[in-house]
Amino acid sequence: MQVLLVNARRSSFSGESISAPQLGLLSLAAVLREGTFHDTAGTDVHFIDDQLFVLERPLATPNEPLRGFTPDVVGIQVLTSSLKNGIKLASEVRHHHPRALTVLGGVGATPLARQLVEDGAADVVVKGEGEVTFSHLVHEFGNNGRKNLRKVRGIVFRDDDGEVVETPAAPQVMRLDKLPKPARDLADMELYRTISRGRAGNVVTARGCSYACAYCYSKHQWGVGQRRHSATRVMEEIRELVEGHGFDRIRIEDDDFVEDVPRMQELCQAIEESGLQGKFEWEAKARPDLIDDEMARMLRKSGCFRLLVGVETLDWTLLKRLGRPVKVAVTERALDSLGKAGIGTQATMILGIPGETDEAMRSTITWLQARLGGNPHDIVSPCFFVPFHADLEKDMAKRVEFTVETTDTDCYTGHIPVTSSPGASSDELWKLYDDMTPTRSQGQYKRIAFLANLNTVQTRLGLMDGGAPMAKEPAALVPEVQ
C-alpha cells in the first residue's frame, strides 16, 4: 500500500513560506512504517512538502508534486491558511487517482470536519491528534476498503448510504515516548537547511499547554494539559539533528517549554552533559510568568540563544478577559532577566485584540522597542488577531465584541487584519500595517520582524538567473530574523 503524506502550501497572505519540515506528518510516517499502533509495518510512505515544492517550482501545476506516485491513501495536512489549497490538492488526487482515499487533517481541518465531508472536500477528515487514528484508518482501508470505517475513532466520513458519520474521539497518546522518532529520512533536510540558513532543525518535546488563553488554538487541538517526552528521547532527536544532519540551531516547538520547571531543568542538564554543548544553540517558547534570573542563567548555560515570549498586549483589562492575566511588571521582569543572561527575546504581540485601541497597540510596540535591542536576537513579532475557527470565535465573542470582516480562510494568517472592533476599526488596523510596511524593514517600528521576499528565497535555492527571478509571482515571505 502506498501512502502519501502532504503538507499543503499556505496562502499568498502568509507571512512565512518555509522554515522546517512538518514533524506531525513525519511522525505519522514513522508510526505507519513501524506499525506502532496497528498492523501497518512496511507501508510504502512518502512525504511531500507542497510549501517547499512551490518555492522550487513557482509556476508548477497543482498536480505536479503528485506525479510519479500511485497512491492508495493521500493524507493532507492543513492549517487554516492552507485549507483552500489542501482542498484543491484533494480534488487533484480524486481527478488523477480516483480510487485513492483522500484524507484531510491538522488544525485547519479539525474544527470544520463535518462541513468538509458534507461539502465533499475529502473522503475522510481526521480530528485532532493523528497517529492512532490515521494508522487505524490506513489499516482498515488496506484490509477492507471503505466498508469498516465506522471502526476508526476520531474521523468524519460519508458512508455508502450517503450519511455523514462522526465516530467517537480517539484516545490521546499519553506516553509520547511510545511514538517513534519522526521519519526525517523522508524529508530533504539539506534543502531545508539551505532555505532556512540552517534554522530548520526542529523538535517537539511536549504537546499541549496547561493554560487556556481564549485566543489560542492549542486546547482545541491537543486538549488542556501538557504531555511530555522524556529527556532521553529529546536528546536522541537533538543528537540526530546535530550529528546526523549538521544543524547548529535547534528550534523547540512546544507551546510552553518552561511550564514544568523541574523537567526544563532536567533537559538543560541533559544538554550540558551530552557532549553536544557548544556544537549547537537553541530557541524555545515560554510564558513570562516563570522566567527569573536563575532560570534565564540556566537556559543560557545550556545554549539557549532566544526565547519567544508572548506579550500580546499591555492592556491588563483585555488580558484578564482573554484568560491571560499576566501583569506588565511580570513581563518586564522576564525581559530584564533574559537580557541580563544574554538571551535574545522574540516578543510576540497580537494586533487588533477586540477592544484594544490603536493608541494602545502602538504603545505596546513602542514599549517593547524601548526594552529590546541590546541583543542581536531581539525582535518584535506582531500578528493580527484571527478567530481561527468557530469554537475560538464563540469563546472570544462571549468576552469581547468584534466583527469578522472576512471569512476567506486564505486571509487567516495573522499577517493582515481580518477583524475589527469598537476599539479599532479596520481602517486603523490597515494603517498600522502600512506603518510597519509589508517588508517590516523600512517602517517606523525598527524592531519589527523583517520578512524576506520570494526573490531572496529563490536566491538561496539557486533559482535566480543574472539577478532576475525566473518566475514573476506574488511575494512569498520567510522570517529573516537574526
Side-chain angles (χ1 to χ4, degrees):
M1 172 175 285
Q2 187 177 82
V3 176
L4 304 186
L5 297 174
V6 187
N7 176 45
R9 69 184 70 175
R10 299 181 185 182
S11 80
S12 59
F13 296 107
S14 293
E16 60 274 357
S17 289
I18 200 72
S19 57
Q22 295 298 315
L23 294 181
L25 289 179
L26 296 182
S27 179
L28 287 183
V31 164
L32 289 176
R33 292 196 311 190
E34 297 190 17
T36 307
F37 299 109
H38 301 92
D39 185 16
T40 59
T43 300
D44 180 22
V45 188
H46 298 267
F47 168 69
I48 299 172
D49 192 341
D50 193 32
Q51 184 70 43
L52 182 60
F53 187 87
V54 75
L55 289 175
E56 293 183 276
R57 304 282 298 277
L59 300 182
T61 62
N63 180 58
E64 197 161 334
L66 303 173
R67 290 181 182 173
F69 297 104
T70 55
D72 299 289
V73 179
V74 179
I76 303 170
Q77 175 181 279
V78 294
L79 305 172
T80 305
S81 61
S82 63
L83 178 59
K84 288 169 67 175
N85 284 327
I87 292 172
K88 290 177 185 175
L89 190 58
S91 177
E92 289 290 328
V93 172
R94 285 178 161 177
H95 177 68
H96 295 279
H97 307 282
R99 295 187 178 182
L101 188 74
T102 56
V103 184
L104 289 175
V107 296
T110 292
L112 299 172
R114 190 174 189 90
Q115 178 185 328
L116 290 170
V117 173
E118 288 175 345
D119 293 345
D123 297 318
V124 180
V125 175
V126 170
K127 299 179 64 176
E129 192 169 270
E131 284 90 353
V132 174
T133 297
F134 191 72
S135 63
H136 193 183
L137 178 63
V138 169
H139 170 74
E140 283 298 331
F141 184 72
N143 285 281
N144 303 299
R146 302 170 191 248
K147 295 178 182 178
N148 294 325
L149 296 189
R150 287 177 183 269
K151 291 183 177 180
V152 181
R153 298 178 65 176
I155 65 171
V156 180
F157 69 100
R158 191 183 295 276
D159 66 15
D160 291 339
D161 297 325
E163 177 187 356
V164 175
V165 178
E166 186 167 355
T167 65
Q172 291 182 319
V173 180
M174 301 308 297
R175 293 176 58 250
L176 292 188
D177 280 7
K178 187 173 183 180
L179 297 170
K181 289 184 292 184
R184 292 186 176 91
D185 60 290
L186 296 181
D188 189 338
M189 299 299 288
E190 183 58 34
L191 186 55
Y192 284 109
R193 276 169 43 84
T194 300
I195 201 169
S196 69
R197 288 178 164 178
R199 296 166 190 159
N202 57 343
V203 62
V204 172
T205 83
R207 291 182 178 182
C209 175
S210 296
Y211 301 95
C213 301
Y215 52 82
C216 182
Y217 81 94
S218 182
K219 61 182 178 291
H220 299 286
Q221 181 71 8
W222 305 115
V224 177
Q226 192 177 73
R227 294 163 286 146
R228 307 174 182 97
H229 280 295
S230 67
T232 300
R233 162 59 183 268
V234 173
M235 289 312 304
E236 287 177 359
E237 287 201 46
I238 289 178
R239 189 174 297 280
E240 176 185 321
L241 288 167
V242 175
E243 296 182 343
H245 297 289
F247 287 101
D248 57 10
R249 279 189 176 180
I250 304 294
R251 188 173 74 241
I252 295 174
E253 304 278 17
D254 308 358
D255 289 324
D256 187 357
F257 179 70
V258 306
E259 179 180 307
D260 183 329
V261 176
R263 190 260 191 171
M264 178 218 72
Q265 294 171 331
E266 183 184 10
L267 281 172
C268 288
Q269 187 69 27
I271 291 173
E272 292 178 37
E273 296 173 354
S274 67
L276 297 175
Q277 196 168 16
K279 297 181 180 180
F280 78 100
E281 55 185 0
W282 57 275
E283 58 185 323
K285 305 172 187 175
R287 280 173 59 108
D289 313 46
L290 297 175
I291 300 172
D292 57 20
D293 289 354
E294 182 181 358
M295 177 183 287
R297 284 194 295 269
M298 178 177 293
L299 292 169
R300 183 63 191 137
K301 185 180 177 183
S302 64
C304 176
F305 74 94
R306 177 167 54 213
L307 277 187
L308 185 153
V309 177
V311 176
E312 319 315 4
T313 177
L314 299 183
D315 189 318
W316 170 244
T317 302
L318 277 180
L319 286 172
K320 285 195 297 182
R321 287 181 191 168
L322 301 177
R324 190 183 175 86
V326 180
K327 294 184 177 180
V328 174
V330 172
T331 299
E332 191 164 29
R333 181 198 69 193
L335 299 186
D336 287 345
S337 293
L338 294 177
K340 285 187 292 185
I343 296 176
T345 298
Q346 182 174 353
T348 64
M349 60 175 294
I350 302 176
L351 303 173
I353 295 174
E356 188 175 29
T357 65
D358 177 73
E359 180 182 5
M361 284 182 274
R362 292 175 185 269
S363 293
T364 300
I365 298 176
T366 302
W367 185 87
L368 284 171
Q369 292 199 139
R371 282 155 181 77
L372 300 178
N375 188 298
H377 299 300
D378 284 348
I379 198 165
V380 180
S381 294
C383 68
F384 288 92
F385 167 69
V386 178
F388 284 106
H389 53 73
D391 289 340
L392 192 153
E393 184 178 338
K394 289 177 183 176
D395 194 11
M396 284 288 294
K398 294 175 184 176
R399 304 166 189 250
V400 288
E401 181 183 349
F402 65 94
T403 300
V404 177
E405 299 288 349
T406 178
T407 57
D408 183 353
T409 55
D410 270 359
C411 299
Y412 281 30
T413 64
H415 293 274
I416 58 175
V418 296
T419 66
S420 62
S421 78
S425 67
S426 183
D427 288 343
E428 286 177 305
L429 292 171
W430 277 109
K431 177 63 168 60
L432 178 56
Y433 175 85
D434 288 340
D435 286 346
M436 293 188 296
T437 78
T439 63
R440 310 292 205 269
S441 62
Q442 303 300 322
Q444 66 188 79
Y445 300 114
K446 301 303 181 183
R447 297 307 307 173
I448 299 296
F450 166 67
L451 298 174
N453 63 27
L454 182 60
N455 290 359
T456 302
V457 177
Q458 291 185 326
T459 298
R460 292 182 195 168
L461 288 172
L463 297 178
M464 297 290 284
D465 182 14
M470 294 175 63
K472 295 184 181 298
E473 290 286 311
L477 307 174
V478 294
E480 186 65 29
V481 296
Q482 297 294 326

